[in-house]
Structures are given as structure tokens and as C-alpha cells.
Amino acid sequence: MSFAFLHTEGTNNKNKNAVIINNFLRQPGWNNINDVELIMYWGKNYELKDLFIKPVTLYNCDNCIRQATIFLECSYVHDLNLMILSLNKFQEHCTYLLISGDDSAHNCKVTLLTKIIEIVPMAKYMKGAFYAIEKYHTIPLNTQKRTRFILSNLLTNIQENETLFSTLRTSSDSIKDALKTIVNTLFEWRYELHEDKSFCILKNLIFNLLWNLWYMEFDTLRYQGKYQELFIFLSDKIRNLILNTFTKKYIELGFKYESSTSQTFLPTLPLTNVKQDIAQNSSKNYIQNTNEVHAQEEIQQNETKEDIKQESNNFIIHKNTFIY
């Protein structure tokens, strides 16, 4: 990870910053960073527990900040990987519907694009979280021209693609062309994520197991007579992935979002005084940021449900697994 951390840490931080970082590391959300085996920093391997062995002081504050940033970045790598793999499965299903001549291919495309757009606010919060932590470092990464955050390229690209996907969602152009654009974009995202994964040692992501569990749940619902299109089912699953990441690794880490400046801040008071307000304010802001895409999806799903047949005999699910 030398390209991201070229500078030396010979300057001591300030006591007030050490207090803030110490409070930050006491947030309950750190218990949710359980998908990172270890990180590599300054030629050494660190487990998450190493971050909490000693209290934060002005002498080790910069080191704690950088480790905390890397652990959170790597955990976000894990979550984004899961989201992108899920979107790939979603795209495969839409492509199958199109090839088979199913009338619901258009609705599948629109719902898929809605899910992709819902990731954009998450990308903004992720980048804001990194900036909020690094703000207290004597040499913040975001102020350096020759260094970058893990995920910085991917998160930037996700945000820059928002207009493209919004246009595709409302366009009446070819479904095939839209799906081709989605395939190419997801491929680029996966490539960038693969580069970022090389800087973390993650616990095994057993996506195929998760997919099989989703399929079993979907099949059980159909057996119980609760019929719905697979893409609506997948839409709910992906939304849960996004909201789960936001709740466990943003709200419960104590991050505060200021809507007037679109900036994220660390809690500056002890945990017991701000935990409830942080959760309430952060949830409110996230919901405001995703209101439009949720409204569009609800309209689309209602239109789709009207066309669903009681039993889709020609409905086939691809069970081919990915190898990444």
C-alpha cells in the first residue's frame, strides 16, 4: 500500500484530536467491521483488535487514524463487491428475459437501473466518511496530490455515472443497448474494485452461497403462492444490502451528515451524549437522498405487479455461478 501512504508520520498530533479519535473508536459500529481479516500498513499486518489495545494519544493518533481509515475502506470494499456481484446477477436475469422475448424485460431494466442509482448516495457517504476521519490527521490523504484513498477512483466513477443511469432509466431506447451499457460499466467497477481488494485481506465472501439462499427463499415464496418477478425480489435484496451497510458502517460508527454543506463529520462528544441524535439525523438525511429513486421504483413495481401471471411456467433462473 506504499503508493497510498508515502509520507512519514514524524509529527505528533494534538490532544483535542486524540480525544475525538478515541471517542470515534468507541462507537458500536466497529463491531460490524467483521469482514476484514487484516490490513497491511507500514510493512506490518494489523488485525482490527490491534486498533483498540492502547488508548489514543497525541503520539499515536496519526497511526490510529490511518489504520481506522484503512479498516473502514477495506470493509466498504467487501460490501461494494457484494453489491456489484448482485447487480451482475440482476443484469443476467434482465438479459435472459430480453432474449426469451418476455414482456417484463423493460421493467427489469428500469428496476435494475433504479438499484444502481441507489448506490450513488452510499458512495457519497463512503467518501465523506474517509474525509471525516482523515481531517484529524496531521497530513490528511485528501490533501495530498500524489496519494489517494482506497476506493477513491471507484466511488468517484459511481457518482459520475449517476446522470448516465438516470437517462437510461427514462429512455425509450433499445433495452439491449441499455443492458450493454450496464454490463460495460459493471465490468469497469469490478476491475477497479479488484485493484482495491489487493490492498486488503478480506474474510471469504461466499457470494454463491448467498445467491443460493436467495434462490431458495424465492422458490419457497412461489411454492407458497406468493408470486412476484425475480427482479422485484432482487430489488428488495439489494436495497437491504445498501441500507444495512449504511446503518452498520455509517450511522453506528457515529458519523454525522450536514445536509447544508453535504459533508460528513465525526462525533466530537462522548458516545452516550450523541448516539441517538446521530442515528436519527443520519437516517433522515439518507432517506432524503434516496427518496426520488425509491418513488420511481415503487411506481415501476406497481405497474409490473399488474402484469404478473399467477404462474410463470416458462420462468427459468440461471444457476450458473461466477468465478471472480
Side-chain angles (χ1 to χ4, degrees):
M1 302 183 71
S2 59
F3 85 98
F5 311 105
L6 296 175
H7 61 272
T8 59
E9 300 198 16
T11 305
N12 292 330
N13 211 309
K14 301 176 182 178
N15 276 320
K16 64 177 183 179
N17 289 346
V19 172
I20 292 173
I21 296 303
N22 194 62
N23 288 335
F24 173 57
L25 293 178
R26 292 175 56 236
Q27 299 294 319
W30 287 103
N31 294 322
N32 301 322
I33 311 299
N34 54 11
D35 38 32
V36 181
E37 191 74 41
L38 53 87
I39 64 169
M40 294 166 286
Y41 180 54
W42 283 101
K44 297 181 179 180
N45 294 338
Y46 291 91
E47 297 181 28
L48 185 63
K49 64 181 181 181
D50 298 329
L51 191 56
F52 309 103
I53 293 176
K54 298 179 181 179
V56 181
T57 68
L58 74 164
Y59 303 108
N60 68 357
C61 186
D62 278 353
N63 189 280
C64 291
I65 289 172
R66 194 53 45 80
Q67 288 188 48
T69 301
I70 301 172
F71 270 112
L72 184 58
E73 288 170 332
C74 289
S75 188
Y76 282 164
V77 165
H78 178 278
D79 296 329
L80 285 168
N81 192 30
L82 189 57
M83 293 176 196
I84 293 174
L85 292 178
S86 300
L87 291 171
N88 269 298
K89 283 290 191 180
F90 203 140
Q91 169 271 317
E92 270 202 338
H93 176 60
C94 292
T95 299
Y96 166 75
L97 293 177
L98 178 64
I99 294 174
S100 63
D102 196 303
D103 292 338
S104 62
H106 171 75
N107 291 335
C108 186
K109 178 208 74 171
V110 172
T111 307
L112 171 58
L113 288 165
T114 299
K115 292 297 101 182
I116 295 175
I117 294 170
E118 283 186 12
I119 293 180
V120 175
M122 185 74 262
K124 295 177 181 178
Y125 283 112
M126 286 177 171
K127 182 177 286 188
F130 303 152
Y131 278 47
I133 303 172
E134 284 287 326
K135 173 184 177 181
Y136 297 97
H137 197 286
T138 54
I139 311 178
L141 279 177
N142 51 296
T143 64
Q144 306 303 301
K145 295 182 179 180
R146 300 178 62 183
T147 60
R148 72 171 181 88
F149 291 102
I150 298 172
L151 286 178
S152 61
N153 288 343
L154 175 59
L155 297 179
T156 298
N157 288 341
I158 289 175
Q159 294 177 68
E160 291 177 347
N161 288 146
E162 181 177 16
T163 301
L164 169 64
F165 287 123
S166 296
T167 302
L168 287 174
R169 186 176 61 179
T170 57
S171 173
S172 59
D173 293 344
S174 166
I175 300 175
K176 180 179 179 180
D177 290 342
L179 291 176
K180 183 177 180 180
T181 300
I182 293 172
V183 169
N184 292 337
T185 303
L186 291 179
F187 177 82
E188 292 175 1
W189 289 3
R190 284 172 51 199
Y191 178 81
E192 292 170 352
L193 195 62
H194 179 73
E195 293 291 306
D196 291 326
K197 282 196 295 183
S198 64
F199 303 112
C200 314
I201 299 180
L202 303 175
K203 295 183 179 178
N204 290 332
L205 173 67
I206 310 177
F207 176 73
N208 288 326
L209 175 60
L210 177 63
W211 174 255
N212 288 334
L213 290 174
W214 285 0
Y215 171 73
M216 289 173 59
E217 181 180 347
F218 178 77
D219 200 46
T220 299
L221 291 173
R222 291 182 67 237
Y223 180 77
Q224 295 173 348
K226 301 176 182 178
Y227 301 108
Q228 64 175 346
E229 291 280 12
L230 176 61
F231 62 82
I232 296 177
F233 178 84
L234 290 177
S235 173
D236 293 336
K237 292 301 181 182
I238 294 173
R239 175 183 290 180
N240 289 339
L241 289 177
I242 296 171
L243 292 179
N244 187 63
T245 297
F246 176 69
T247 300
K248 292 184 176 298
K249 300 177 184 179
Y250 189 91
I251 291 179
E252 293 183 13
L253 279 174
F255 290 112
K256 300 176 67 175
Y257 181 77
E258 178 53 58
S259 58
S260 62
T261 60
S262 298
Q263 291 184 329
T264 295
F265 299 93
L266 290 187
T268 56
L269 298 174
L271 173 64
T272 53
N273 292 345
V274 298
K275 178 180 177 182
Q276 186 173 1
D277 290 339
I278 290 170
Q280 291 176 347
N281 292 336
S282 298
S283 297
K284 180 180 179 181
N285 283 312
Y286 187 81
I287 291 171
Q288 288 174 343
N289 273 275
T290 55
N291 253 350
E292 180 181 351
V293 289
H294 286 177
Q296 291 287 338
E297 181 185 25
E298 184 176 353
I299 293 172
Q300 187 63 46
Q301 288 187 11
N302 287 338
E303 292 174 351
T304 302
K305 289 177 181 178
E306 293 177 1
D307 298 330
I308 293 177
K309 298 178 182 180
Q310 218 175 27
E311 181 66 47
S312 299
N313 293 324
N314 65 337
F315 186 77
I316 302 174
I317 298 176
H318 283 217
K319 295 184 179 180
N320 294 334
T321 57
F322 286 107
I323 299 178
Y324 296 90

